[in-house]
Amino acid sequence: MNILVIGKGGREHALVWKLAQSPRVTKLYCAPGNAGTSQEAENIPIEPQQTQELIEFCQKKKIDLVVIGPEDPLVAGLADEMRARNIRVFGPSKRAACLEGSKVFSKELMHRANVPTSEYGVFEHPDHARKYIDSRDYPVVVKADGLAAGKGVFVCSSLVDAYQAVDRIMTKEEFGPVAGRKVVIERRLDGQELSCIALVSKRNLLLLPPAQDHKKVFDNDQGPNTGGMGVYCPAPIATAHLQAQIVDKILVPVMHTMKITECPFQGVLYAGLMLTNTGPKVLEFNVRFGDPETQPQLFSLQSDLLDALEAVVDDTLDEFPEEKWQFDPRSAVSVVLCSEGYPGKPKIGLPIEGLEEVNRLPDVKVFHSGTIQSDNQILTNGGRVLSVTAKGDTLSAARERVYEAIKYIRFPGMHYRTDIGLKAAGQNPSS
Ligand code: GLY
């Protein structure tokens, strides 16, 4: 089979790396990819928003399956455009992708499906939003309705903060006129966060190992939010009982409600959850694999990813055998190495050293995010540069291995968190 993966992050490198292991893959492409994807696939210089060029490429190269990585092209309707031309695609329709593309759609769907989430209000006018804020207890969370590259969510501990968030989203339109047309305001939930991610077709699902991401840039959850600084899986906190509860009370009701509202979901359903005292509650849904969650998840996947992706596309997950969805039970940890300046403006074009040595280590894999090949050198090309990923018999052992591996890698201004998985390893040293 000829396969095209769309995107250029660590998630897409992990997808390409895993798909390259399938005996059924003849030729693998990545558009546009990064220096890491070019080691396993042929990079194609087409950006995810270049719909027509992507379609022409698929037709010319007789692509048998397209895997869309990032949310923007899904929300823009790339999967529909391709399906309309008989190109097989793994990824939800534009309508179903509203689950991530519109916080209002997502909240209304959860309400309809009786899925546990924080109580909320939706506002189209800043005056109405401010009036609601006046009546609330703090902290509250103010969210721009549309996609905002992970930046349109404000946790506000005072009325002044909440007014400012409304102003930035709706009046100043910092995230664009569409994303800021409406806001969702909700009560902040307390607890631990969990990423529960599943491959979903109309009637069935396959869970990936539950993961815990670290969003703040500095150790001890200090500093501004990022796209994700590191992650581990399986998260010891997510017992089999908790996972069953999440499937029954959250994932299945969402799938069912989407189906009966003529908006069936096919692709990756990613529930960002808060594990509260009263049970798991949804913070947000995403409609694609996580980044960096995908890196340790696929590093642990022992089965052929292509079989599972095809079962989703063909809606045959009902008969998908359990033995074709097996994971290494050991712990996996991924730590993101970032450029100076990230999560603000990152420095790019800096040479990265030590990659060859680190890739020779057992149970270690470096997935590339913001990298580019230039002559014989690999250079930084974004804020999140590399996800160093390692497995170990325990979470502590995986942590030890990943941080040992990082010592081999150098680029000017490199920074990363040193406490990925530390709390969970400490709470449960035998895990
Ligand atoms: N890990 C956060 C995300 O994928 O959105």
Side-chain angles (χ1 to χ4, degrees), residues 213 215 227-228 270 284 286 288-293:
D213 190 9
K215 298 262 173 57
Y270 168 152
E284 62 176 13
N286 297 319
R288 34 92 190 155
F289 287 99
D291 193 339
E293 287 90 337

Side-chain angles (χ1 to χ4, degrees), residues 69-388:
E71 63 273 20
D72 299 78
L74 290 166
V75 171
L78 179 60
D80 310 62
E81 296 282 346
M82 289 192 153
R83 282 191 198 106
R85 282 143 182 108
N86 294 321
I87 300 168
R88 260 170 110 222
V89 186
F90 177 88
S93 66
K94 178 176 180 158
R95 192 140 176 260
C98 284
L99 205 53
E100 178 164 358
S102 165
K103 299 274 189 289
V104 175
F105 176 94
S106 171
K107 279 290 196 183
E108 286 171 355
L109 190 113
M110 283 189 258
H111 181 70
R112 188 168 178 165
N114 203 19
V115 161
T117 187
S118 186
E119 61 183 74
Y120 69 101
V122 174
F123 305 95
E124 293 189 36
H125 195 286
D127 287 344
H128 301 159
R130 282 189 282 264
K131 204 163 164 207
Y132 182 75
I133 287 167
D134 290 343
S135 70
R136 308 312 293 170
D137 292 331
Y138 296 91
V140 294
V141 183
V142 182
K143 298 177 171 176
D145 177 41
L147 289 183
K151 294 185 181 140
V153 175
F154 296 87
V155 179
C156 307
S157 46
S158 69
L159 182 133
V160 175
D161 288 352
Y163 271 29
Q164 271 175 1
V166 169
D167 194 41
R168 290 181 63 182
I169 296 169
M170 301 190 96
T171 315
K172 295 192 178 126
E173 296 181 347
E174 280 186 26
F175 310 104
V178 178
R181 203 176 290 149
K182 295 180 193 171
V183 287
V184 170
I185 303 178
E186 63 185 30
R187 180 196 282 273
R188 193 193 73 178
L189 297 172
D190 292 316
Q192 286 196 46
E193 286 191 36
L194 182 73
S195 305
C196 190
I197 301 172
L199 303 191
V200 165
S201 72
K202 289 170 200 156
R203 293 172 306 220
N204 220 326
L205 59 82
L206 293 175
L207 278 181
L208 288 139
Q212 286 193 291
D213 190 9
H214 298 61
K215 298 262 173 57
K216 301 279 187 187
V217 69
F218 301 127
D219 283 3
N220 296 318
D221 295 326
Q222 301 296 307
N225 266 334
T226 66
M229 294 295 291
V231 67
Y232 58 91
C233 72
I237 197 168
T239 59
H241 173 74
L242 178 62
Q243 290 185 62
Q245 200 184 350
I246 293 166
V247 169
D248 290 350
K249 300 252 184 297
I250 295 172
L251 300 182
V252 168
V254 165
M255 286 160 60
H256 176 71
T257 305
M258 292 194 83
K259 195 163 156 233
I260 61 171
T261 51
E262 308 289 313
C263 181
F265 196 91
Q266 178 247 77
V268 176
L269 183 55
Y270 168 152
L273 304 171
M274 187 65 86
L275 305 180
T276 73
N277 289 339
T278 53
K281 293 189 177 171
V282 177
L283 296 171
E284 62 176 13
F285 282 112
N286 297 319
V287 298
R288 34 92 190 155
F289 287 99
D291 193 339
E293 287 90 337
T294 308
Q295 289 86 312
Q297 287 171 331
L298 294 190
F299 194 45
S300 298
L301 178 62
Q302 292 168 324
S303 312
D304 188 337
L305 177 65
L306 181 57
D307 290 342
L309 298 186
E310 285 205 286
V312 170
V313 172
D314 300 338
D315 198 18
T316 56
L317 276 186
D318 282 357
E319 61 231 44
F320 197 73
E322 213 179 297
E323 61 270 18
K324 288 180 92 175
W325 192 241
Q326 295 298 318
F327 289 84
D328 188 330
R330 292 181 294 161
S331 291
V333 178
S334 195
V335 176
V336 179
L337 309 185
C338 301
S339 290
E340 187 177 335
Y342 182 77
K345 195 165 182 283
K347 286 209 170 140
I348 61 170
L350 302 170
I352 305 170
E353 289 171 45
L355 288 170
E356 280 176 19
E357 291 96 308
V358 82
N359 271 330
R360 282 198 286 268
L361 300 175
D363 282 329
V364 173
K365 172 73 191 167
V366 180
F367 294 107
H368 291 227
S369 302
T371 66
I372 189 165
Q373 182 88 38
S374 171
D375 300 324
N376 283 334
Q377 272 199 316
I378 294 179
L379 307 177
T380 65
N381 193 38
R384 293 194 290 177
V385 178
L386 302 164
S387 311
V388 185

